[in-house]
Amino acid sequence: MQVANARNGHRPVQDPFNQENRPRKRSNLLLRIDSWIDSSIWNAGFRVGEVWEEITIFFRRFRTRGVWKAVFEIAGEGMNVGTAGFVLLLALALPAFEETAGNWRARDDFAVTFLDRYGNEIGHRGIIHEDSAPVDQLPDHFVKAVLATEDRRFFEHFGIDFLGLARAMTENVKANSVVQGGSTITQQLAKNLFLTNERTLERKIKEAFLAFWLEANLSKKEILRLYLDRAYMGGGTFGAAAAAQFYFGKDITEVSIAEAAMLAGLFKAPARYAPHINLPAARARANEVLSNLVQGNLMTEGQVIGARRNPASVIDRGDRDAPDYFLDWAFEEVKRIAGGFDQHSLIVRTTLDPGMQEAADAAVEAGLRQYGKQYRASQAALVLIENGGAVRAMVGGRDYGESQFNRASRALRQPGSSFKIYTYSLAMEKGMTPDSPITDAPIHWGNWHPKNYGLSYRGRIDIKTALAKSINTIPVRIAKERLGEDPIGQIMAQAKKFGVETPIRRDVTIPIGTSEVTVLDQATAYAVFPTGGYQSRRHGIAQIMNYNGDVLYDFNRDEPPPERVLSETAGAYMNQMLTRVPYVGTARRAAVDGVLTGGKTGTTQAYRDAWFCGFTGNFTAAVWFGNDDYTSTNRMTGGSLPAMTFKRVMDYAHQGIELRAIPGVDNPLPTAKATPLAAKSSTDENGNPLPARQRSRSLNRETTDVLRGLVERLNSARPLGVPERLAAVKNQPELVPATVEQ
């Protein structure tokens, strides 16, 4: 049969009971492997289940019920929250630790003496190492006075004193006001080294992490020494050694208990307790420090009784304040310029004019004293630049002793409508003119719908009216419809060309001033207009010299000439429009008597910031008023207090000088009023009027040119000496006439 089947093309049928005749298949091996894997996985899972059941049975012995169950549930959730909190703390710590990058001790490398524009000494910055004493060499009573007042548990905590913080919070709650502070010396050093005095949550978080970082990287003695060397002590002095010389005329190692107590009382409130300003308050504060010494068991009442009976006396330094905000900014400029110099002990001639600085300080203080409560404004900043770029005055806040944060150079605030100059100047460059018609009507840009102040629209108007009346829709319409491709990028680039150093936020809302800038930025930008469209070349350093008198840096010698950033035509159009604002626009309180004035107001959303940035042919100034905590003012606009402060400063600055014309304006020098150019009088604390501030008289240009010519002729003249003919005669005595003295 098999043969027959084979002949018919069929495979032979095999006997199923004859295993020897069956072929072995390779698939059997794969099946065995698969079976082994399945059984192994099952056995492993079964074993894991058994182990887990055994563990569960074991831990059932610890099962809690009732109150204990709630406790352990809360503890478990607490661990989860703690883990998440740890991750959050790590995220918050990273920005703080970035502050420590680089050589943070670089401040120690510089010791700078600053002079004003006339060569008079106005202050110091940096640390002179020879004047700084190690902690071990300081008087024991001075160190104890500092610790008793500032941080009694300094040698016990790790950067943050939680017990001291709880105690301070308790006392503050009892008194319903802030009577005690909870910051440690380490936290205060972290702020002085890396941060600013700006009162923000971000700064407090960074301060806490940096305090831990300092404790981990420095010894307690190093932290204490750095704190004593860097703290502001009033009178323009930094560090205990400088303060001892300034107030008592002696080395820090020689101060008495009474003097040590007076110095220790300055750390928290140097402006309030500076003895050269308010000696009774300084002595009262020193008496509190002596009480702290006794209460902290650091000294006995018998040891301090002599200091109570014989309080410290100070050297009479007068009550003239140092221009500390300007010096802080100038010191940063010196470090930038002189970073590559071999010598870091320097004498720096600045551009500061002490008279203008005093006038600027007085104008800001008078404005806040008279109108601060009315407008609910507590802070201000001002920068005054002379045509040519020299910064003549800088006000970084109301009181340097209360807050060293420089609001003129470091605070970022929305400029409001004062930012519109960049959009309008681009429009002038694109071919528009002050008389170009444009429509004031509702407009939208994506999801943004800008609105005018008062929610009204004027229809068809010209550009100069839109700028003078500060209409919001017009710069938005210009940016969207007239500037071409990438209008936001063009506005950002224009601001940079004008001198704005703050990074501009790329957003469609920037045509009306939503991107934050500094007061110094705006003053720099507006100073382009009186130059006719050239860079203002803002600077505060005129010369840097070493103590041998060698000039290491000279602004006029070492800096490049200014570049044109605005065409002559566009600059003339902008000046024609901006000079209308103080006369027919929103800044009528800014018009300077007898001096053509230009500028622009700025008011931000919810009245948080009020600006006036303006210029004459001689000077440019930017003024800001507001609050550090960004709270709203009482409907204060740029045309109110900022404009009035601008006028008060400019009235003083233009006394007795030759007035310069503003380029491109038909009527550059208006007829002066009959009243003299004098700053309007303000009132004292009792409301009594103060005499008008008068600027010191200076030489006019003609007299100055004559004197400079005489100096050049004298310098190039031959040295005085005996004439050659007379010298020849003297060599032959027989030829000397009797009338000639030998």
Side-chain angles (χ1 to χ4, degrees), residues 127-147:
I127 296 176
I128 303 175
H129 295 279
E130 291 77 9
D131 289 348
S132 177
V135 175
D136 294 334
Q137 297 180 15
L138 295 174
D140 183 64
H141 50 262
F142 172 68
V143 176
K144 288 180 177 179
V146 173
L147 295 180

Side-chain angles (χ1 to χ4, degrees), residues 373-413:
K373 290 184 179 180
Q374 174 184 339
Y375 286 114
R376 291 202 300 268
S378 60
Q379 280 295 348
L382 182 150
V383 173
L384 178 67
I385 299 178
E386 189 169 0
N387 193 352
V391 177
R392 297 303 187 199
M394 177 180 290
V395 181
R398 187 171 190 176
D399 191 333
Y400 187 83
E402 294 292 336
S403 171
Q404 290 85 55
F405 179 64
N406 193 336
R407 295 158 188 83
S409 63
R410 306 190 69 173
L412 297 177
R413 309 294 298 220

Side-chain angles (χ1 to χ4, degrees), residues 1 74 115 203 259 265 410 480 598 601 652 699 701 703:
M1 179 181 288
I74 293 174
L115 312 177
R203 198 268 292 173
E259 293 166 343
R410 306 190 69 173
K480 182 181 179 182
T601 57
Y652 173 88
L699 300 176
R701 176 179 293 180
T703 305

Side-chain angles (χ1 to χ4, degrees), residues 242-389:
Q245 289 288 348
F246 181 80
Y247 294 121
F248 310 122
K250 60 174 63 175
D251 192 88
I252 185 63
T253 59
E254 301 173 355
V255 296
S256 64
I257 295 178
E259 293 166 343
M262 187 170 288
L263 290 175
L266 292 173
F267 285 97
K268 283 294 179 63
R272 187 183 308 168
Y273 300 118
H276 72 302
I277 300 295
N278 193 342
L279 184 59
R283 287 177 171 173
R285 174 65 173 168
N287 197 51
E288 293 179 9
V289 174
L290 296 174
S291 298
N292 293 336
L293 282 168
V294 176
Q295 294 172 4
N297 297 320
L298 298 175
M299 297 184 75
T300 65
E301 184 63 39
Q303 290 175 302
V304 303
I305 190 65
R308 291 188 192 275
R309 292 179 176 177
N310 300 286
S313 298
V314 299
I315 298 174
D316 185 10
R317 297 287 187 180
D319 58 355
R320 186 168 184 176
D321 295 330
D324 288 307
Y325 289 115
F326 177 88
L327 292 179
D328 285 348
W329 171 68
F331 184 59
E332 296 299 322
E333 292 293 294
V334 169
K335 290 192 291 185
R336 177 182 61 82
I337 296 171
F341 293 176
D342 295 333
Q343 304 174 56
H344 285 179
S345 293
L346 306 170
I347 298 174
V348 175
R349 182 186 290 269
T350 69
T351 59
L352 182 109
D353 187 299
M356 294 185 188
Q357 179 65 49
E358 188 176 352
D361 287 330
V364 168
E365 178 60 26
L368 288 172
R369 186 190 305 125
Q370 294 178 11
Y371 302 103
K373 290 184 179 180
Q374 174 184 339
Y375 286 114
R376 291 202 300 268
S378 60
Q379 280 295 348
L382 182 150
V383 173
L384 178 67
I385 299 178
E386 189 169 0
N387 193 352

Side-chain angles (χ1 to χ4, degrees), residues 42 69 128 174 189 232 274 314 506 508 524 551 558 574 653 685 710:
W42 187 88
K69 182 176 182 180
I128 303 175
K174 290 180 180 179
L189 177 62
Y232 179 66
V314 299
R506 189 179 185 90
V508 295
T524 304
V551 178
D558 300 324
M574 288 299 298
E685 296 180 354
L710 289 175

